[in-house]
Amino acid sequence: MKNSDKTVILLNGVKMPILGFGTWKIEDEKEAFNSVKEAIETGYTHIDTASFYKNEESVGSGIKEGLKSKGLKREDIFVTTKVWNTEQGYENTLEAFERSLKKLDTGYVDLYLIHWPVTKAYENEWRTKIKETWKAMEKLHKEGKIKAIGVSNFLVHHLEELLSDCEVKPMVDQIEFHPGHNQKETVEFCRKHNIAVEAWSPLGRGVVLDNEFLAEIAAKYNKTVAQICLRWIVQQGIAALPKSTKKERIQSNFHIFDFELSEEDMKKITNMKPTGYSGSDPNLGRY
Ligand code: A2P
């Protein structure tokens, strides 16, 4: 089975490849273009960006070139982008989406997410704000411009608020998730509501890669620590979005479907000491 066949099926039947390529912090245009092209040539069929990453244009060109060099079509790739905090609100979101789509130039977007639940400008009114934003996303979804809609960094109370007043349920929640930070409560809530979970910073921004305990497990399976982290994530049915600008890492991060972690090792990793948390608290408003 090819890696690209490993998918998570979203609430509305859309298939989302379980291993994606993250592009946060790849701001340099050439680097963004090259990394995305390289990722697609390696076999990744899921690319994640956001208007906040300021790379949608280069990511879009990288996608085009990657598809061309692999002889693939637009439908063969799953593209995610996100509405930024300062773009929230009904009209703002409609406009932000058009800006993102124009930059990406992908014709449509597979998945559009609300990037953070609480924004600086509307810290006390986040409940109303996310619902206004969501209405715009529902409209774009109905029009077929977006195949699936979801959220990012939503904790249980944020999800409950949105679920209490929406027409289309969120299909995805993209959260910080890696060994040492497994957000049990949010993941359990998502499972209960059939919301697919995606892991951002699946390697803990590189911080967990020096962990001795993970290094021991990696040696046992003859794999890298990064591969162990990613395997631990996808083996739970959670999508992983590793980012790298280095060809060898882009490639090795892709090879995680030729081994399986034992149940015991899965548990050990799940129960390891908290480590690598970025400190980004979704309850705090940010720009
Ligand atoms: P680089 O772009 O230089 O490869 P995360 O996806 O958790 O945010 O982690 C991304 C960080 O981890 C980046 O700094 C990236 O750096 C690094 N990284 C990605 N893949 C690997 C790997 N296989 N081995 C070591 N570092 C990696």
Side-chain angles (χ1 to χ4, degrees), residues 188-204:
E188 273 174 11
F189 184 89
C190 285
R191 289 227 160 95
K192 203 168 122 204
H193 291 269
N194 287 317
I195 298 170
V197 178
E198 292 187 295
W200 64 255
S201 277
L203 312 175

Side-chain angles (χ1 to χ4, degrees), residues 173-221:
D173 191 6
Q174 184 182 121
I175 55 175
E176 178 176 358
F177 186 90
H178 49 77
H181 190 64
N182 55 37
Q183 306 228 40
K184 195 164 173 268
E185 241 187 74
T186 304
V187 171
E188 273 174 11
F189 184 89
C190 285
R191 289 227 160 95
K192 203 168 122 204
H193 291 269
N194 287 317
I195 298 170
V197 178
E198 292 187 295
W200 64 255
S201 277
L203 312 175
R205 292 154 299 115
V207 177
V208 303
L209 298 178
D210 300 330
N211 184 280
E212 267 179 40
F213 160 71
L214 291 175
E216 274 170 33
I217 300 217
K220 188 166 115 184
Y221 288 88

